[in-house]
Amino acid sequence: MRISYNKYSKGEWLFVTILLLVFITDSLNVIIFHGGFESLVKVTKYTKLSAYGKSLFLVSYIIYYTARNVRTVLTIGFVGLLFFLSSLIIYGVSEKGFVFTWFILFSKLILPLLLFDFLLRINSGYESVIFKTLLLIISIQTIIVFIAIVFDLNVFRTYGGSRFGFSGLLYAQNEATFYYALASLFTFKYWQNTQNRYILILLIGVFLSLFLLGTKSVFIFTSSFFVFLGFYYQLYRKSYFWIGGVVILVISSFFLYKLGVVEYYVSQANEKGWLYMITSMRNVLIAERLPVVFENWHWYNYLFGGVNPVTSFVEMDIIDLFLYGGIVGSLLYYLLLFKTIFSFSKNNYFGWFLVFQYFLIGGLAGHVFASGINAIYLAITSYYLQMSNGKSVE
């Protein structure tokens, strides 16, 4: 496919540069840290290589936006400072790493909102180079997964070889799950709009890669997406939809059993309990950490939060957001989400399915609300779904 350089705006090429920078640095994180080359790059336990590129974008965009709308920047900064002071009262600057990790999390939460705002200002069309670049990235990720499973490359395994699963060029399995939800939705909608057979082949590859990831949340997403499509296309009225669903379930269960996935989870449930298995140990984190948090909280903490993300989070985003920003902070963040990336019209069913997955996966797996890896993919997918549904994206 030949790309005309004069066809796209400077803003689109700038966004593509950011997109490629994020993808390349995230991929290098996998190769360096899963491949045993940590000594080559100077990082801390709180950051990885990709953090530098994302920080550069954040600083540059805040400077740019300050010059155009200083009141908005000051308002966001004041709200952030209020939540930070609430946490600081409890932990203080003596808590090692607290200040640093608090601001890292804050930057991850606002990153998809800023990237979405950038897309609004570019105002790209259906044939934007941004969407084509994302399809290229999804293609590369899919190919890497297939190569990894054929040659059994541990560097691309989801769990480092301890159990079945291949995440490819994605560093954390929690964030990999939401990546595949975004990739599936974006690719499916793009195929629906273009009816391009090559995109259909890619879509099939994405679903196969999704299955090969090996996380519980992926199976939940796959099942819910299958049901969603059944109702969206009214296939539930057809007998072949149910027959096909049963066949796929049986075949999938057989392969999961042969690969040892079923045995692993059953064994874990027998040893530590079904709730432990279903929540991936998060029930233990809740029991250990939440009582300690609430013992130290005052009335204002329930309003504005106050925790150290490293020591107090339970890896379930809905709970962690409340711990981080309290009632006020959580409501403000949800309001911002539904005013921006989730500003879907009532009949935008794919958009609302994305919202459902955002809270479902975020509630079960964590690292969705504040995902440095998926921030740019979430912004692009939301923008494309809004635009594809005939909504005027302004």
Side-chain angles (χ1 to χ4, degrees), residues 6-20:
N6 296 325
K7 185 179 179 180
Y8 307 110
S9 67
K10 292 181 180 179
E12 287 176 297
W13 285 114
L14 179 57
F15 197 93
V16 166
T17 301
I18 297 169
L19 177 57
L20 290 175

Side-chain angles (χ1 to χ4, degrees), residues 14-45:
L14 179 57
F15 197 93
V16 166
T17 301
I18 297 169
L19 177 57
L20 290 175
L21 178 64
V22 169
F23 172 67
I24 292 170
T25 52
D26 282 334
S27 300
L28 287 175
N29 279 342
V30 174
I31 295 171
I32 291 172
F33 296 100
H34 285 178
F37 303 105
E38 295 92 337
S39 60
L40 297 178
V41 182
K42 184 179 180 180
V43 295
T44 71
K45 66 178 180 179

Side-chain angles (χ1 to χ4, degrees), residues 10 88 144 185 250 255 288 307 320 355 364 367:
K10 292 181 180 179
L88 193 63
I144 290 294
L185 280 169
V250 170
F255 277 103
E288 291 178 349
V307 296
D320 289 342
V355 174
L364 293 174
H367 295 283

Side-chain angles (χ1 to χ4, degrees), residues 120-360:
L120 293 182
R121 295 174 186 277
I122 296 171
N123 195 24
S124 300
Y126 285 103
E127 296 299 319
S128 175
V129 67
I130 295 172
F131 304 136
K132 294 176 181 178
T133 304
L134 179 54
L135 287 171
L136 175 62
I137 289 172
I138 294 172
S139 301
I140 294 172
Q141 165 66 8
T142 303
I143 292 170
I144 290 294
V145 169
F146 290 142
I147 292 174
I149 194 169
V150 169
F151 294 99
D152 194 23
L153 302 177
N154 285 334
V155 67
F156 299 121
R157 279 183 172 270
T158 308
Y159 301 99
S162 60
R163 55 193 251 218
F164 174 79
F166 290 86
S167 58
L169 296 170
L170 297 163
Y171 186 77
Q173 63 265 26
N174 291 340
E175 294 182 276
T177 299
F178 192 56
Y179 161 83
Y180 275 111
L182 294 170
S184 301
L185 280 169
F186 178 82
T187 309
F188 189 95
K189 193 63 179 180
Y190 198 93
W191 169 74
Q192 186 187 59
N193 290 336
T194 62
Q195 294 297 305
N196 187 306
R197 66 176 180 273
Y198 297 109
I199 302 301
L200 178 59
I201 294 172
L202 174 60
L203 179 62
I204 295 171
V206 170
F207 276 114
L208 290 174
S209 299
L210 189 151
F211 177 81
L212 295 172
L213 182 61
T215 65
K216 293 189 297 293
S217 297
V218 153
F219 302 128
I220 295 173
F221 166 75
T222 307
S223 302
S224 59
F225 195 35
F226 179 79
V227 173
F228 166 74
L229 292 178
F231 280 91
Y232 180 80
Y233 288 108
Q234 297 186 348
L235 298 175
Y236 63 90
R237 299 177 179 177
K238 309 293 184 180
S239 58
Y240 63 78
F241 172 76
W242 298 103
I243 295 172
V246 172
V247 171
I248 292 173
L249 179 62
V250 170
I251 294 174
S252 300
S253 300
F254 173 77
F255 277 103
L256 290 174
Y257 176 78
K258 296 298 289 184
L259 293 169
V261 176
V262 174
E263 182 182 0
Y264 172 83
Y265 286 124
V266 170
S267 174
Q268 187 181 72
N270 290 333
E271 290 179 11
K272 300 182 179 179
W274 284 94
L275 187 59
Y276 182 98
M277 184 274 290
I278 293 171
T279 64
S280 298
M281 198 190 78
R282 290 174 179 86
N283 64 316
V284 175
L285 294 179
I286 289 174
E288 291 178 349
R289 295 182 175 183
L290 290 190
V292 177
V293 170
F294 295 141
E295 283 176 7
N296 292 283
W297 267 20
H298 303 283
W299 65 267
Y300 51 82
N301 293 116
Y302 289 94
L303 291 176
F304 306 115
V307 296
N308 184 335
V310 174
T311 60
S312 300
F313 274 9
V314 298
E315 302 294 325
M316 301 178 93
D317 282 345
I318 296 174
I319 297 175
D320 289 342
L321 182 63
F322 168 69
L323 296 176
Y324 184 75
I327 297 173
V328 175
S330 298
L331 291 178
L332 280 175
Y333 190 71
Y334 294 142
L335 179 64
L336 281 172
L337 284 177
F338 286 98
K339 287 288 185 179
T340 55
I341 57 177
F342 292 156
S343 180
F344 299 114
S345 57
K346 292 181 179 179
N347 64 340
N348 194 332
Y349 302 113
F350 278 89
W352 289 111
F353 181 74
L354 171 58
V355 174
F356 173 70
Q357 293 300 320
Y358 179 85
F359 286 100
L360 177 64

